[in-house]
Amino acid sequence: MAELHPACAPLAFLLGTWQGTGTGVYPTIEDFSYAEEVSFAHVGKPFVAYAQKTKDSGTGLPLHAEAGYLRPQGDGRIELVLVQPSGIAEVLEGTVEDCDIRLASTAVLGTPSAKPVTATERRFWVDGEVLRSSVAMAAMGLELQHHVVSEMYRLS
Ligand code: HEM
């Protein structure tokens, strides 16, 4: 395996595959719960590849999925570029500090048929053995607010 690029050292705490469960809410939909798997991988270049998939906890059917790249910029700054099969693409900027990544969107674009999303905020943070991931969004004409949060444990 390639050596980790030095720029990615602040992200080393994420590398690997994690699995767990989460819950989701939004004023326009029914509350839901889901199973989630995420992976963070590197190829020796100054980015970390991120892939996520989720399933409905009740039916086991696929729910949301997304994939993108975390791009550390030095001095604790980080970028994330991300796409979703729901037709949404996000560009985010933020910080990584003490195993805690906080990001806010600078651009969210949708395909013509995508549901309207104008802003997102995301957090990935590791606390002991647990990786937590959360998303807030301004969607369906509403203010930015919490949508999903999950807790995952390391598989590899
Ligand atoms: C773990 C991640 C996520 C899961 C499991 C999830 C799941 C869901 C579910 C089950 C619904 C309701 C049914 C549906 O419309 O399909 C929903 C609605 C929605 N989600 Fe998510 N979601 C996730 C992340 C996101 C993200 C990152 C965005 C946007 C950046 C997003 C945007 C939306 C929108 C726009 C709706 C439609 C709300 C409406 O129709 O009123 N979701 N999500």
Side-chain angles (χ1 to χ4, degrees):
M1 197 206 260
E3 240 176 78
L4 186 66
H5 191 285
C8 292
L11 301 179
F13 72 97
L14 282 176
L15 293 173
T17 302
W18 305 72
Q19 264 185 357
T21 56
T23 54
V25 295
Y26 211 67
T28 52
I29 58 172
E30 295 286 316
D31 297 0
F32 57 92
S33 57
Y34 59 93
E36 181 170 23
E37 181 175 310
V38 297
S39 70
F40 297 91
H42 80 97
V43 290
K45 299 189 81 172
F47 60 80
V48 166
Y50 162 65
Q52 181 247 34
K53 57 186 178 183
T54 64
K55 287 180 182 173
D56 184 293
S57 292
T59 63
L61 292 171
L63 280 181
H64 181 93
E66 58 191 29
Y69 297 92
L70 284 159
R71 298 165 36 81
Q73 299 299 307
D75 295 334
R77 290 171 304 118
I78 187 161
E79 302 172 350
L80 172 62
V81 57
L82 194 65
V83 292
Q84 303 167 22
S86 50
I88 295 164
E90 296 172 55
V91 172
L92 306 101
E93 287 177 31
T95 56
V96 50
E97 192 184 2
D98 297 336
C99 302
D100 189 353
I101 297 175
R102 292 166 188 258
L103 299 152
S105 64
T106 54
V108 181
L109 287 176
T111 61
S113 62
K115 292 204 171 159
V117 179
T118 52
T120 59
E121 280 184 5
R122 290 169 172 270
R123 190 175 169 203
F124 298 95
W125 71 112
V126 171
D127 181 9
E129 305 281 285
V130 189
L131 167 62
R132 293 191 175 84
S133 167
S134 69
V135 180
M137 65 178 180
M140 315 305 289
L142 301 179
E143 296 284 297
L144 184 75
Q145 58 197 283
H146 176 67
H147 183 37
V148 289
V149 63
S150 62
E151 286 193 357
M152 290 171 272
Y153 294 85
R154 196 180 269 291
L155 269 190
S156 61

